[in-house]
Amino acid sequence: MPDSSPAARYPAAFIGRGLFPIYIQLATIFRRLIENGEWAVGRQVPTHEQLGLQFGVNTTTVRKAVDLLVREGLLRAYRKRGTFVMTKPARQEWYDIPTSLHAALDTPGDVEIETRRASMPRQLPFTLTPSKSDGSGYRLLRRIHRRRGQPICLENCFLRQDVIQGAKPATLKRASLALVHDAEPNEMAHANATLTFGIADKETARQLNISLNAPIAILHQRATATGGGILMDSTSYFRGDCVRVFERIKP
Amino acid sequence: MATQARRKSARRRARIEKAARRDLSGNGLNDGIPIYAQLILHFRHQIETGRWVEGQNIPTLLDLAAEFGVARATVRQALGFLEREGLILSRRGRGTVVIGRPRNDLWFSVPAAWGPLDPERGQLTAEILEFGPDGRLPDAPSHIRGTLAARYGVVRRLVKREGVPYLVGATYIDSRIVEEIGADEIYKAQGYQTVEQSRLFRGATADQSVTVDVADAEIAYLLDITLNAPIVVVERWVLDSAGTLISYSEGRYRSDFVRIERRLL
C-alpha cells in the first residue's frame, strides 16, 4: 500500500525551487495542512526536527515558517510542550455568483449596491456598438457592491441610455440586470454570463481592500435586445476569497 | 565571527520581514511575499491580459519604480526574470519591449452538468500522484453536507494537456464502490465514470462548486506556476439516496485555463 503520510505526499523535491525564500514556501504547505484539517485544530504538530527531516530543510527554516504562522495566529508554540494548531485561516461566508436569471435579478439581503457615478462614457468597449436605430447612446455606471459594509465587488456597467432615463435613486441600488429587466421587461432577448479569473491590479486592490495580486473573479454579463443591439454590458471584479459558483449538477 | 554572521542573518531576516509586511497596495500583510516576486506576478499579468501590448514598449524602469514606490533595482530584478522567460526584451537605449505572451489558449469551460469536466480527453495525459484504499477526506473549501462513509479510496493525479500541466485532481470514492467496481478500474478511469457504474449512484444527487485559491508550494511546483498565483478549485460531491457522501473530488486548475459560461436567458 502506498504511504499516504504528508511526507510521502509532499516530497521535498519542490521545496527550494523558484523565487521564494524556502521558509515562505514551507509556510504555504503548513497553511494548507491546517486548512484541510490534516493538522487538526487543538492538536500538536510534529517537532521542528521531524518536519526538517520530512521536507529536507534545516530546523532554522522550519522555525521561521512556523513563526510566520504563529504571527498569523494559526499556530502557537509552548515552551517545552511543542507547537499546537490554534485555529484555521479565517474563511468568509460565501457569496454565490449568479448563474441563473432568477439569481442575477436578485441582490442578497446583506448586499448593498452603490452607484458612485453615472456618466457619459468617453469610450465604449469594443464589444459595444452604439445602436443606430434610435440614436441613443450608453451610460457608464461605476458601482461598488458591499456586503455588511465590506467592499466585495467593483462593477463597470454600460447601459443603454433609455434604460436608466429618469431612474430613481432607489432603482439604482438594484442589480444591473434587474435595471434592464424592470425598464424593458419585454425587450431583453438574451442574457449571458462569463466568469474568468485573474489577480487584482493596484486600483482594484485598493478599492476592494485586498493585496496586490490577490485572486479575483471577473464576471462579465451582457443582455441583448430583441431588435438586436446590446442593452447592457457589465464587468464585475469580485474579491476571490469569498465568492463561489455553486450549482446542482445532478438532481 | 559566528556572532557576526548571526547578526548579519538577523538583519537580513529583519529586512525580508519588513519587506514582507510592506504591501505594495498598502493594505497590510501580503503573505510575506518578496516585493520583486509580487512585481513579477503583476507584470506577467499585464502581458497576459494584453495591457502591455506585444511589440510595444513597457513603461520605463523609472516610471515603474515610481508607480510602486520601490527601488529601481527591485523593478530590474523582476523584469530580468520575465526576460529570462522570454516575455520581454530590453534593448539598450530603446526601452523594453514585449515579445511574447504566456500561453493561455488551453482554456475550457466548466459545465453545469454531471459528466466529464474536461473536454478533448485525447490530448490529456495523467500522472498518478497518490493511489490508495485509505484516503483522508480533506476539510473542503466548500463545506460538504451529508454523512461520511466509513472509508474512502483516493486517486490523485497531475493532468497535462498538450504537455502543459493544468490540473491537480483528487477523487475520494466510498470504499463500497471501490469494492463493487474494483480498484483497477478506479486507477484507470476518471472519477465520475467509476461512480456512475455503481448501484449507489441510482437516485444520487451531485453538486459542484467553483472557488478561487492561491497556489501553495506543491501546487505551484506541479502546475509550473508561481507560488501564490491564483488557481481555480472545482469541487464536486455526490450524495447517495441515503444522504451519504459517496464521492468527493477536488480539481485545482491553473486559473487562466478555466472559465464558466452560462446562458441566463
Side-chain angles (χ1 to χ4, degrees):
Chain A
M1 193 189 106
D3 182 0
S4 66
S5 71
R9 248 170 320 123
Y10 299 110
F14 59 86
I15 295 282
R17 298 214 184 188
L19 299 168
F20 294 83
I22 293 176
Y23 77 95
I24 287 176
Q25 297 186 33
L26 203 53
T28 66
I29 296 294
F30 294 170
R31 210 178 280 120
R32 172 82 57 222
L33 291 171
I34 296 170
E35 220 161 52
N36 72 24
E38 204 149 328
W39 285 4
V41 173
R43 295 270 300 277
Q44 185 174 2
V45 307
T47 64
H48 291 7
E49 286 74 20
Q50 286 165 343
L51 289 170
L53 277 174
Q54 265 183 33
F55 292 97
V57 299
N58 64 40
T59 52
T60 315
T61 307
V62 173
R63 186 180 51 73
K64 278 159 77 176
V66 166
D67 282 354
L68 207 60
L69 299 195
V70 166
R71 281 206 297 276
E72 287 177 22
L74 303 183
L75 293 176
R76 188 157 165 191
Y78 293 93
R79 198 171 288 276
K80 297 252 157 78
R81 284 209 290 136
T83 306
F84 290 78
V85 181
M86 301 309 287
T87 177
K88 286 188 175 210
R91 182 41 96 193
Q92 299 207 35
E93 226 178 286
W94 295 114
Y95 174 92
D96 287 314
I97 291 181
T99 51
S100 71
L101 183 66
H102 176 73
L105 292 176
D106 201 30
T107 308
D110 55 356
V111 173
E112 270 200 4
I113 304 176
E114 181 198 337
T115 300
R116 292 199 289 194
R117 214 149 61 91
S119 59
M120 291 289 276
R122 264 180 301 173
Q123 207 187 341
L124 288 176
F126 71 95
T127 48
L128 273 183
T129 43
S131 71
K132 292 179 187 91
S133 53
D134 55 4
S136 62
Y138 287 87
R139 287 299 175 99
L140 169 59
L141 304 191
R142 289 189 187 278
R143 322 181 84 190
I144 184 162
H145 301 224
R146 290 194 186 84
R147 186 173 63 172
R148 281 171 248 127
Q150 299 301 315
I152 190 170
C153 162
L154 299 173
E155 181 187 5
N156 291 335
C157 177
F158 292 88
L159 278 171
R160 210 171 70 185
Q161 203 165 3
D162 55 308
V163 170
I164 53 160
Q165 203 88 59
K168 296 189 179 69
T171 313
L172 287 180
K173 289 189 169 160
R174 310 218 2 164
S176 297
L177 209 59
L179 294 179
V180 180
H181 195 258
D182 290 357
E184 317 274 359
N186 300 317
E187 224 197 311
M188 196 156 70
H190 299 290
N192 55 41
T194 306
L195 192 72
T196 53
F197 306 92
I199 55 179
D201 61 20
K202 244 176 115 179
E203 194 47 29
T204 311
R206 194 182 62 77
Q207 297 200 47
L208 288 178
N209 198 23
I210 53 180
S211 313
L212 181 80
N213 295 334
I216 56 170
I218 304 148
L219 176 68
H220 184 214
Q221 286 181 334
R222 182 201 257 267
T224 324
T226 29
I230 309 289
L231 284 166
M232 181 205 84
D233 183 291
S234 147
T235 309
S236 301
Y237 303 88
F238 287 90
R239 51 183 300 166
D241 58 354
C242 59
V243 294
R244 70 169 180 183
V245 172
F246 182 86
E247 290 165 317
R248 170 135 297 188
I249 51 172
K250 184 186 177 291
Chain B
M1 208 52 202
T3 330
Q4 211 176 7
R6 223 177 8 253
R7 252 192 236 129
K8 200 172 161 197
S9 96
R11 269 206 306 276
R12 187 165 164 267
R13 196 165 70 236
R15 209 166 57 231
I16 291 174
E17 283 168 3
K18 190 176 160 209
R21 278 194 295 272
R22 191 172 117 212
D23 179 349
L24 289 171
S25 56
N27 292 317
L29 263 171
N30 199 348
D31 283 339
I33 308 162
I35 293 197
Y36 71 96
Q38 295 188 42
L39 290 177
I40 290 169
L41 262 176
H42 178 72
F43 295 161
R44 196 190 283 125
H45 194 63
Q46 297 292 92
I47 298 170
E48 272 166 3
T49 54
R51 269 179 228 141
W52 286 0
V53 184
E54 205 170 336
Q56 287 186 17
N57 273 11
I58 66 169
T60 65
L61 211 59
L62 219 62
D63 287 346
L64 289 171
E67 186 187 340
F68 291 98
V70 298
R72 264 182 295 173
T74 312
V75 177
R76 196 180 292 121
Q77 192 179 4
L79 293 179
F81 198 86
L82 296 185
E83 187 158 11
R84 283 194 292 281
E85 272 184 51
L87 298 180
I88 56 173
L89 179 70
S90 82
R91 303 163 303 173
R92 192 173 293 274
R94 288 192 293 146
T96 302
V97 66
V98 179
I99 54 169
R101 274 172 85 157
R103 182 161 189 195
N104 59 358
D105 57 340
L106 290 174
W107 60 270
F108 81 101
S109 185
V110 182
W114 177 258
L117 260 173
D118 323 308
E120 304 152 43
R121 299 298 300 186
Q123 306 166 1
L124 302 182
T125 51
E127 177 190 324
I128 305 280
L129 301 172
E130 186 187 353
F131 177 63
D134 246 325
R136 202 205 65 87
L137 208 63
D139 298 354
S142 297
H143 68 273
I144 298 170
R145 285 167 221 93
T147 50
L148 297 188
R151 235 155 63 108
Y152 292 91
V154 61
V155 194
R156 192 157 178 263
R157 298 183 174 93
L158 168 65
V159 184
K160 293 182 181 175
R161 187 157 158 210
E162 292 177 31
V164 182
Y166 89 127
L167 155 71
V168 177
T171 305
Y172 298 81
I173 295 172
D174 189 331
S175 297
R176 291 175 297 169
I177 298 180
V178 180
E179 276 160 33
E180 182 189 344
I181 308 298
D184 278 4
E185 189 60 22
I186 285 158
Y187 191 87
K188 282 183 289 188
Q190 288 181 70
Y192 86 96
Q193 292 169 325
T194 310
V195 176
E196 265 177 3
Q197 292 175 47
S198 169
R199 57 187 166 76
L200 292 173
F201 189 68
R202 265 173 247 140
T205 57
D207 290 316
Q208 168 177 288
S209 130
V210 182
T211 53
V212 202
D213 199 357
V214 293
D216 64 26
E218 187 205 24
I219 295 292
Y221 170 70
L222 293 172
L223 294 183
D224 195 21
I225 53 178
T226 320
L227 194 76
N228 284 324
I231 53 168
V232 174
V233 186
V234 180
E235 291 168 88
R236 288 182 156 190
W237 49 98
V238 186
L239 302 187
D240 70 5
S241 53
T244 305
L245 181 77
I246 54 171
S247 159
Y248 168 73
S249 68
E250 181 207 72
R252 292 179 173 265
Y253 292 82
R254 277 182 56 156
S255 68
D256 50 345
F257 285 6
V258 183
R259 65 181 71 172
I260 297 177
E261 295 163 308
R262 297 288 180 265
R263 179 86 178 262
L264 301 175
L265 177 70

